Amino acid sequence: MSTVLDDIIVGVREDLADRMRDLPLAAVRYAAAERPAALDAFTALGGADDPRSELKVIAEVKRRSPSKGQLADIADPAQLAREYADGGASVISVLTERRRFNGSLADFDAVRSAVGIPLLRKDFMVDEYQFHEARAHGADLVLLIVAALDDFQLKDFLDLTHDLGMNALVETHTEDEVDRGLAAGARILGVNVRNLKTLDVDRAVFGRLADRIPAGPIVVAESGVRDADDVAEYAGLGANAVLVGEALVTHGSPRERIADFQRRGAAAIAERHHAH
């Protein structure tokens, strides 16, 4: 029986085939090579030498989701991105998957032209073409979903990402996926509390999985953020960063909300360090 993730990937591959017909891999590789070097998203999210006493926010430009449907019209993604950057977001994530999230590379381009901070191309990466394409559009960070890749693909795609000068947010949902991500060499490890097979959210998953992650990788809490209390809870359990979409795009003042998230997150991190 196919899962939600399986169904999404079928559509992603169909759309990808259309783009590959329009622009062959050689042309995309050339365009990627012509871009200025990628920004350092690893350092922006806390890096290796940072005491990681702050909570970083990855703010997402997200129009709709498979679980909630339409979230926000976002007439001007560039303007929203500027608000995110002004509010103190460390990275901006832009959905580029079309069928379930109503995202596009056009949205990504609009955001890239508007802000000078690292950008995450948020999509379902299943083919080498997409990595060169991401870089050609100015991505600094790409998403690798462990559940969608075997160990060989995961390592191969992570190496390709680094060869292109980008970083990868390696997304996990289970203990096994955390172990696989670490074994592949993930430097930025996401724990997504949304089950990609059913789309249910279970916030308790974060603490359980974060406990398995040694010092070193940046730990990103994904999904399930409704308010600053959720952010503080994730930060208290070991998150260095949170990825937030819905709670920002549906809020009247995303700029103030990001600042609030950072404030509460930093307090929870300080409390955690104090307790240890």
Side-chain angles (χ1 to χ4, degrees), residues 61 63 73-84 92 94 104 106-108 110-111 114-115:
V61 176
R63 298 173 182 277
D73 288 334
I74 312 183
D76 188 350
Q79 179 53 37
L80 178 61
R82 280 190 286 267
E83 282 190 54
Y84 285 168
I92 295 174
V94 185
S104 67
D107 278 354
F108 192 93
V111 171
V115 297

Side-chain angles (χ1 to χ4, degrees), residues 218-230:
I218 288 164
V219 181
V220 182
E222 301 180 57
S223 299
V225 171
R226 298 160 298 188
D227 51 36
D229 289 343
D230 291 330

Side-chain angles (χ1 to χ4, degrees), residues 2 33 41 98 111 122 126 131 137 145 158 173 182 191-192 200 208 219 242-243:
S2 74
R98 179 177 71 89
V111 171
K122 185 96 174 286
V126 292
F131 294 82
H137 284 267
I145 301 174
L158 193 56
H173 304 81
L182 290 168
V191 173
N192 192 341
D200 295 334
R208 199 167 68 238
V219 181
V242 289
L243 189 152

